[in-house]
Amino acid sequence: MKVSELVVKSIPRTKHSPKHPISCRHLPSHVGTQANVWTTTVTPYQRPKEEESDDEAEPSWNLNVLLSYHIPTPESSMLSSSTVIETSRKLVMGKVLALPLPHRPLFPGVYMPIYVKDPKVLAALVESRKRQAPYAGAFLIKDEQGTDPNVVSASDTEKNIYELKGKDLFSRLHEVGTLAQITSIQGDQVILIGHRRIRMTEVVSEEPLTVKVDHLKEKPYNKDDDVIKATSFEVLSTLRDVLKTSSLWKDHVQTYIQHIGDFNYARLADFGAAISGANQLQCQQVLEELDVHKRLQLTLEIVKKEMEISKIQESIAKAIEEKISGEQRRYLLNEQLKAIKKELGLETDDKTALSAKFRERLEPNKEKIPAHVMQVIEEELTKLQLLEASSSEFNVTRNYLDWLTALPWGSYSDENFDVLRAETILDEDHYGLSDVKERILEFIAVGKLRGTSQGKIICLSGPPGVGKTSIGRSIARALNRKFYRFSVGGLSDVAEIKGHRRTYIGAMPGKMVQCLKSVGTANPLVLIDEIDKLGRGHAGDPASAMLELLDPEQNANFLDHYLDVPIDLSKVLFVCTANVLEMIPNPLLDRMEVIAIAGYITDEKLHIARDYLEKSTRETCGIKPEQVEVTDAALLALIENYCREAGVRNLQKQIEKIYRKIALKLVRKDGKIEPQNAGVNEVKAESVHLSDEIKSKEETQAGAKSVEGTNDDKPSENVAESLEAPVNQMEKPTDEDTHLQEVEEVTESEASKTIEKVVVDSPNLADYVGKPIFHAERIYDQTPVGVVMGLAWTSMGGSTLYIETSLVEQGEGKGALNVTGQLGDVMKESAQIAHTVSRIILQEKEPDNHFFANSKLHLHVPAGSTPKDGPSAGCTMITSLLSLAMKKPVKPYLAMTGEVTLTGKILPIGGVKEKTIAARRSDVKTIIFPSANRRDFDELAPNVKEGLDVHFVDEYKQIYDLAF
């Protein structure tokens, strides 16, 4: 029988028990890192005499009894608790192979697996086992100088050990080590079991390192000393407490008792230090201590610390277990609640569903969302989870997240930079306005060359009804951008633009954030309507709040008070509309590019009415083109006598009025007017039961009748043949044939009716739109003395007005001027200046004429109910005064505009296009403008300038020569 197969039943050893001459063992499965049970042969030897003498007098305990703690032993893999490893009586070794230990020292009676990487050392160990001297010296390696033992990693330490050889290795080893029996060698893994302390003295051979050693014995001590007993009992008590919490220690105790035997004072100290978690220097200190009492004290300190660590470990484990179990319970309850709500059909509005909804919104554009915005969103989502659903703060956070996640961060619509397409769209929607269209096409061309379009701020200014808002909509269509319009007329609250603070009840973001949420893209076209009518209330100045929004340098980081995160508006194209630029604050106007739309002349209005307004109105009223004819003369009369404003909104109203009356006339005359597709639908309805072929023929006939009925009284022969063909194919006349004949007769009778066309011409225009509102602005064919036509600009466009001067009374020194006509301060001052300048000019031209000195004059501007103010009537007033003073009428068909200084210089004026259009409307042939306005006139379209004799003057003397 092999030695490894022997199983000797151990008997608990006492002081009087006989020594067992030989014993064998199985190495337990938990030694080292191996999980499998494996068997190792141990060479038997006898205990030396010096070892016997130590154990005779010293008391020993079975740790199981002393700790009152039962440790289960596997039946097949463990031997009894008092098996003693026998050693050779010749264990008087002077030299041993030195094995470096990287992490912890080896204590007597303790197993330790190590890995030997040096092939020479491994070969020497194998050789020593063959010679039946399987022993080596295990020495802890010292830490390198200047390194922290707690910082250096284990792999670095082992790497350094493998590199050390000979005397270098000798110098790095602690002097005191343990004589270890080599119990097993498998590959490069060597299992050691410690026996006794040794001290190395010198190097015998360097490779592999072999050293001379001295065997160390404990110092003599009194085994009955109460202090030693008390210390050992405290160590045992502490070990008992630790064993209750640590299953790993139980395994160590079991192994020790099995292979070493019962404990005495020295072994107890070694065992406690060996299985503790103390660091290597503390363990080495215990190993080097030969005073048993001191060794017990050191071990007691170590195991007490181990006990504290175990308590902390236990409390941590308990806290984590409670937390996990609480979370699991909460999770299970939540899942059950969701399932119950799902079964009952209740809507889930809990925080989890809200967070999931918000995250789902963010998912498509998650990469495009700026980092600072994403950080705010994550913080708010975390905050939402911590708040109670019933709290007011919860609703504020939910609404805030709703806005933050609904915005199109980094989402842009694909722009179309096709200039030809854009030009076609602009021409389709608007007639004329060449300067406006040219500017839009320039913007698109720049965008095409750059590959992207930076947002601009365009301001369309002009009278009402000229198409400013619709131009903005056309630009959006041409660029393929989303369109959003909001009017700021009368807006008096800054929060409408910049948003409210979130702390207020009912707080909302500003108009711009609402716009982005509504359109769903970050590059829409935003039309800000009526920007000149911004109000100013107690809640701040909205015009000042618009500065950040409309500044190309600032709106890349526009800050809304509600969102409180920067928003990039640099890609937004802003289009503003205004009637009067003077009403816009200068800092705001400075940020815009102004495009003036003066209005339309008669020819342009005629085209717009014919090509746009009439067509859309006819479709709106449900009237066919062949039923109505509005002549050019009627439209011209409508424009001249009813719709003189610069825009076409009033013209559209009058055209709608005409078509509504025509619709009423048609319905009254025929009793019933069928919808445009009624004929086809009726025939289809009545012929449901006919064959497919007959139905298709009937539909063809119905379509032909509806078109040809306007010109012919009889149905087309082709249509009749198409109806007869399927009938002739039938063998016998049936009910279907009879019904088909009825349908044919009905269709013929309907087609035979001719639709009477309603013609609207200038003579009967008053029947539709009433009496003319305006009479010709030209009151006089030949203006009398003291009357001169001037040109004025208003917010509704340009207009002509007469300035009349009349003599009240004459007498020595009665020279005076009275002004009427609801004139503003500027025009009153212009009248005083005109009176002074006209006296100077009259003195030059006719020195003997003292008209102004002796005459009381009355200057009046008609249409007194209309307020009039502005610096452009000075030259007209002077001419009127001089005409009366010299009793000379001015030339016929003459109009003038311009402000005059006291020295007779002519100052430039505004509204050249509007005034030119007004002059054409009044059949003026000759116009006088200041020289500084020549450039404005040259930019006008050729059809506006056509047929006009325009003079540009610098001084009033030139006007005098032209007027008289």
Side-chain angles (χ1 to χ4, degrees):
M1 183 181 291
K2 292 182 181 178
V3 177
S4 61
E5 294 173 357
L6 288 176
V7 177
V8 180
K9 183 175 181 182
S10 60
I11 303 170
R13 183 166 66 88
T14 64
K15 184 175 180 180
H16 306 288
S17 302
K19 302 295 186 296
H20 301 294
I22 188 168
S23 66
C24 295
R25 61 169 177 80
H26 286 252
L27 191 66
S29 63
H30 59 269
V31 174
T33 58
Q34 301 298 320
N36 299 323
V37 176
W38 46 282
T39 306
T40 308
T41 302
V42 179
T43 306
Y45 64 93
Q46 292 182 344
R47 185 184 294 272
K49 290 180 180 179
E50 59 266 23
E51 197 171 294
E52 292 174 6
S53 63
D54 289 342
D55 289 342
E56 285 297 327
E58 186 178 338
S60 61
W61 314 275
N62 185 300
L63 195 63
N64 289 337
V65 177
L66 286 172
L67 299 183
S68 301
Y69 196 88
H70 175 66
I71 302 172
T73 305
E75 295 177 0
S76 61
S77 63
M78 298 298 178
L79 296 178
S80 61
S81 61
S82 62
T83 304
V84 181
I85 298 177
E86 299 293 342
T87 56
S88 172
R89 291 184 178 275
K90 297 180 181 179
L91 189 60
V92 189
M93 294 182 180
K95 59 180 181 179
V96 292
L97 190 68
L99 295 177
L101 304 177
H103 309 306
R104 294 172 63 82
L106 176 64
F107 284 91
V110 178
Y111 282 96
M112 178 181 284
I114 65 169
Y115 291 90
V116 180
K117 300 294 183 183
D118 191 336
K120 291 184 178 179
V121 174
L122 196 61
L125 291 174
V126 173
E127 185 64 28
S128 66
R129 287 203 68 195
K130 288 179 180 177
R131 294 201 307 267
Q132 296 192 349
Y135 295 96
F139 300 93
L140 180 67
I141 192 163
K142 298 176 184 175
D143 292 319
E144 288 186 82
Q145 292 183 352
T147 60
D148 187 351
N150 298 319
V151 175
V152 178
S153 65
S155 60
D156 292 339
T157 307
E158 291 179 6
K159 184 178 179 182
N160 294 337
I161 292 172
Y162 301 148
E163 292 173 356
L164 294 172
K165 306 288 182 186
K167 290 184 178 179
D168 293 335
L169 180 59
F170 180 80
S171 63
R172 285 286 304 279
L173 297 176
H174 284 278
E175 289 183 359
V176 177
T178 309
L179 180 67
Q181 180 181 359
I182 304 162
T183 63
S184 168
I185 300 176
Q186 287 199 352
D188 59 353
Q189 187 187 53
V190 179
I191 305 296
L192 304 176
I193 182 168
H195 280 288
R196 59 172 57 198
R197 290 167 171 78
I198 55 175
R199 185 193 306 274
M200 62 180 180
T201 55
E202 59 180 294
V203 178
V204 176
S205 64
E206 293 189 4
E207 199 165 343
L209 180 63
T210 307
V211 294
K212 281 187 178 181
V213 293
D214 292 335
H215 295 268
L216 301 177
K217 294 177 63 177
E218 285 88 5
K219 292 178 181 179
Y221 61 93
N222 184 4
K223 299 174 179 60
D224 298 322
D225 187 358
D226 293 338
V227 177
I228 292 179
K229 287 181 180 180
T231 308
S232 63
F233 284 138
E234 184 61 27
V235 172
L236 285 168
S237 176
T238 310
L239 285 173
R240 181 184 61 196
D241 293 339
V242 175
L243 282 167
K244 289 178 182 178
T245 60
S246 175
S247 59
L248 181 64
W249 281 39
K250 296 173 191 175
D251 296 340
H252 283 301
V253 173
Q254 188 175 357
T255 307
Y256 194 96
I257 294 169
Q258 237 176 336
H259 301 288
I260 303 302
D262 294 334
F263 289 89
N264 55 30
Y265 294 135
R267 291 176 186 172
L268 181 65
D270 288 345
F271 174 76
I275 64 175
S276 71
N279 64 43
Q280 58 186 23
L281 293 179
Q282 288 177 314
C283 292
Q284 181 66 25
Q285 194 177 355
V286 173
L287 183 67
E288 292 177 358
E289 186 58 62
L290 299 178
D291 187 326
V292 175
H293 181 221
K294 287 185 180 178
R295 193 190 301 170
L296 278 168
Q297 287 181 321
L298 289 172
T299 301
L300 180 61
E301 184 181 336
I302 289 172
V303 293
K304 283 286 185 185
K305 188 181 291 185
E306 198 73 23
M307 185 64 213
E308 292 301 319
I309 292 172
S310 294
K311 287 180 180 178
I312 295 170
Q313 178 184 350
E314 187 177 3
S315 64
I316 291 172
K318 187 176 180 182
I320 292 174
E321 185 178 353
E322 288 177 356
K323 184 180 178 183
I324 291 173
S325 62
E327 287 180 355
Q328 285 178 335
R329 184 170 178 273
R330 184 180 180 84
Y331 175 77
L332 288 171
L333 289 173
N334 276 327
E335 290 299 315
Q336 288 174 358
L337 182 63
K338 287 178 185 176
I340 291 167
K341 284 185 176 181
K342 188 176 180 181
E343 289 295 324
L344 295 175
L346 299 176
E347 185 180 356
T348 57
D349 193 26
D350 56 357
K351 291 181 280 190
T352 309
L354 275 175
S355 299
K357 182 182 79 171
F358 293 142
R359 292 188 184 279
E360 189 178 346
R361 281 187 191 173
L362 296 172
E363 202 57 42
N365 295 326
K366 198 168 185 180
E367 294 79 12
K368 300 176 184 176
I369 300 176
H372 62 274
V373 177
M374 201 65 208
Q375 182 181 353
V376 172
I377 291 173
E378 290 294 343
E379 288 173 359
E380 291 297 320
L381 283 170
T382 306
K383 181 180 173 183
L384 190 73
Q385 293 297 323
L386 300 175
L387 292 171
E388 286 297 326
S390 58
S391 68
S392 59
E393 186 70 16
F394 180 83
N395 289 325
V396 172
T397 306
R398 180 179 63 184
N399 291 337
Y400 182 51
L401 279 168
D402 195 21
W403 279 102
L404 270 179
T405 55
L407 292 184
W409 300 103
S411 176
Y412 301 102
S413 59
D414 296 329
E415 288 191 271
N416 193 319
F417 295 116
D418 188 346
V419 177
L420 297 177
R421 175 180 173 274
E423 192 170 8
T424 305
I425 288 173
L426 292 171
D427 287 339
E428 280 177 7
D429 295 348
H430 300 279
Y431 180 83
L433 304 177
S434 56
D435 50 346
V436 182
K437 293 176 181 177
E438 192 71 18
R439 176 64 191 87
I440 303 306
L441 295 176
E442 288 169 7
F443 174 78
I444 296 172
V446 170
K448 184 170 186 177
L449 293 177
R450 286 188 59 195
T452 178
S453 63
Q454 200 69 13
K456 294 290 181 185
I457 292 87
I458 297 170
C459 182
L460 301 172
S461 71
V466 295
K468 299 186 294 296
T469 304
S470 59
I471 285 171
R473 192 174 279 106
S474 297
I475 296 170
R477 191 158 74 93
L479 285 170
N480 196 31
R481 287 191 180 211
K482 294 293 182 71
F483 179 78
Y484 185 85
R485 172 190 171 273
F486 66 90
S487 177
V488 295
L491 192 73
S492 59
D493 191 355
V494 172
E496 290 289 328
I497 296 164
K498 295 277 285 180
H500 305 84
R501 299 286 178 194
R502 289 202 304 279
T503 51
Y504 299 151
I505 295 172
M508 283 189 69
K511 285 286 186 185
M512 203 55 235
V513 177
Q514 295 176 35
C515 158
L516 293 178
K517 180 183 177 183
S518 175
V519 298
T521 61
N523 62 336
L525 185 143
V526 178
L527 182 78
I528 304 175
D529 230 345
E530 312 293 352
I531 198 167
D532 58 327
K533 298 176 184 62
L534 268 172
R536 182 168 186 172
H538 66 280
D541 181 13
S544 301
M546 294 287 286
L547 294 177
E548 184 187 2
L549 181 65
L550 296 183
D551 192 336
E553 301 299 324
Q554 296 180 32
N555 62 14
N557 293 300
F558 177 73
L559 196 66
D560 184 88
H561 288 159
Y562 183 86
L563 292 186
D564 207 26
V565 291
I567 306 169
D568 184 10
L569 301 179
S570 59
K571 299 288 191 297
V572 178
L573 177 58
F574 289 99
V575 178
C576 308
T577 69
N579 297 133
V580 185
L581 291 177
E582 287 74 15
M583 300 291 289
I584 304 174
N586 283 332
L588 189 57
L589 187 63
D590 183 59
R591 286 161 168 78
M592 305 177 190
E593 183 178 346
V594 178
I595 300 175
I597 304 175
Y600 303 103
I601 61 173
T602 304
D603 293 345
E604 290 175 332
K605 282 188 176 181
L606 194 63
H607 276 100
I608 293 168
R610 182 65 75 196
D611 298 337
Y612 300 91
L613 304 181
E614 192 185 3
K615 181 180 177 183
S616 63
T617 305
R618 190 167 55 233
E619 291 174 357
T620 305
C621 293
I623 298 173
K624 299 173 186 176
E626 60 270 13
Q627 291 178 302
V628 180
E629 181 184 352
V630 181
T631 64
D632 289 345
L635 287 176
L636 197 60
L638 192 66
I639 293 165
E640 291 289 345
N641 300 329
Y642 297 85
C643 312
R644 281 190 186 169
E645 77 286 347
V648 292
R649 186 173 289 137
N650 197 35
L651 179 60
Q652 183 179 8
K653 291 177 185 175
Q654 297 295 341
I655 292 174
E656 287 173 355
K657 192 174 182 181
I658 291 170
Y659 272 86
R660 283 199 305 270
K661 289 194 179 295
I662 291 171
L664 181 59
K665 183 182 285 189
L666 290 172
V667 171
R668 275 179 175 167
K669 183 176 181 181
D670 297 338
K672 181 183 177 183
I673 291 290
E674 297 168 356
Q676 293 183 28
N677 298 324
V680 177
N681 292 338
E682 278 187 15
V683 173
K684 285 183 181 178
E686 290 182 5
S687 57
V688 171
H689 62 283
L690 299 181
S691 65
D692 293 339
E693 188 177 2
I694 297 173
K695 281 195 288 182
S696 64
K697 295 295 184 180
E698 283 190 75
E699 289 167 10
T700 307
Q701 177 215 16
K705 296 286 182 178
S706 63
V707 174
E708 295 175 8
T710 56
N711 300 319
D712 300 324
D713 293 339
K714 295 180 181 180
S716 168
E717 293 179 3
N718 292 333
V719 176
E721 289 174 5
S722 65
L723 277 175
E724 289 172 6
V727 177
N728 293 335
Q729 291 171 7
M730 297 182 183
E731 296 177 359
K732 297 178 182 179
T734 61
D735 292 340
E736 292 181 359
D737 298 335
T738 309
H739 181 71
L740 184 59
Q741 285 180 345
E742 291 174 0
V743 171
E744 183 181 355
E745 289 171 5
V746 171
T747 310
E748 285 178 2
S749 62
E750 287 180 358
S752 63
K753 296 178 182 177
T754 58
I755 299 173
E756 186 179 346
K757 183 180 289 187
V758 178
V759 179
V760 180
D761 203 351
S762 54
N764 66 343
L765 182 64
D767 298 338
Y768 295 94
V769 291
K771 297 296 181 183
I773 299 171
F774 298 106
H775 296 284
E777 289 186 1
R778 169 167 290 282
I779 303 173
Y780 311 102
D781 289 333
Q782 171 61 50
T783 50
V785 171
V787 178
V788 181
M789 181 184 283
L791 299 174
W793 179 90
T794 67
S795 62
M796 298 294 289
S799 65
T800 57
L801 53 85
Y802 285 98
I803 292 181
E804 305 171 341
T805 308
S806 179
L807 177 64
V808 179
E809 61 176 315
Q810 264 187 324
E812 186 72 26
K814 288 192 176 183
L817 180 66
N818 184 29
V819 180
T820 58
Q822 200 174 344
L823 307 182
D825 291 339
V826 175
M827 285 194 73
K828 287 178 181 177
E829 291 174 359
S830 294
Q832 295 296 328
I833 294 169
H835 189 231
T836 303
V837 173
S838 59
R839 293 183 70 168
I840 294 170
I841 292 173
L842 184 65
Q843 189 67 29
E844 291 178 2
K845 299 295 182 182
E846 298 180 4
D848 299 332
N849 190 340
H850 302 290
F851 178 80
F852 290 113
N854 302 322
S855 302
K856 184 177 182 181
L857 305 175
H858 181 185
L859 188 146
H860 176 64
V861 183
S865 63
T866 306
K868 293 172 277 292
D869 198 17
S872 63
C875 62
T876 314
M877 291 178 175
I878 295 172
T879 308
S880 174
L881 289 166
L882 288 175
S883 172
L884 183 64
M886 296 186 299
K887 296 181 175 56
K888 289 182 181 178
V890 296
K891 289 181 180 179
Y893 304 104
L894 172 70
M896 63 186 71
T897 182
E899 187 64 14
V900 182
T901 64
L902 283 171
T903 58
K905 288 288 183 183
I906 307 296
L907 300 178
I909 47 87
V912 171
K913 182 177 180 181
E914 290 87 343
K915 292 178 178 179
T916 306
I917 291 170
R920 284 183 64 90
R921 196 161 54 230
S922 298
D923 293 331
V924 172
K925 300 293 187 285
T926 305
I927 305 177
I928 298 174
F929 280 128
S931 290
N933 291 111
R934 183 187 294 272
R935 181 178 61 85
D936 299 325
F937 184 82
D938 290 341
E939 290 177 356
L940 299 181
N943 62 337
V944 177
K945 299 186 287 186
E946 187 180 354
L948 292 175
D949 181 18
V950 182
H951 299 274
F952 298 95
V953 295
D954 291 314
E955 296 180 348
Y956 184 77
K957 291 177 182 178
Q958 296 171 268
I959 296 177
Y960 182 88
D961 296 335
L962 291 167
F964 299 107

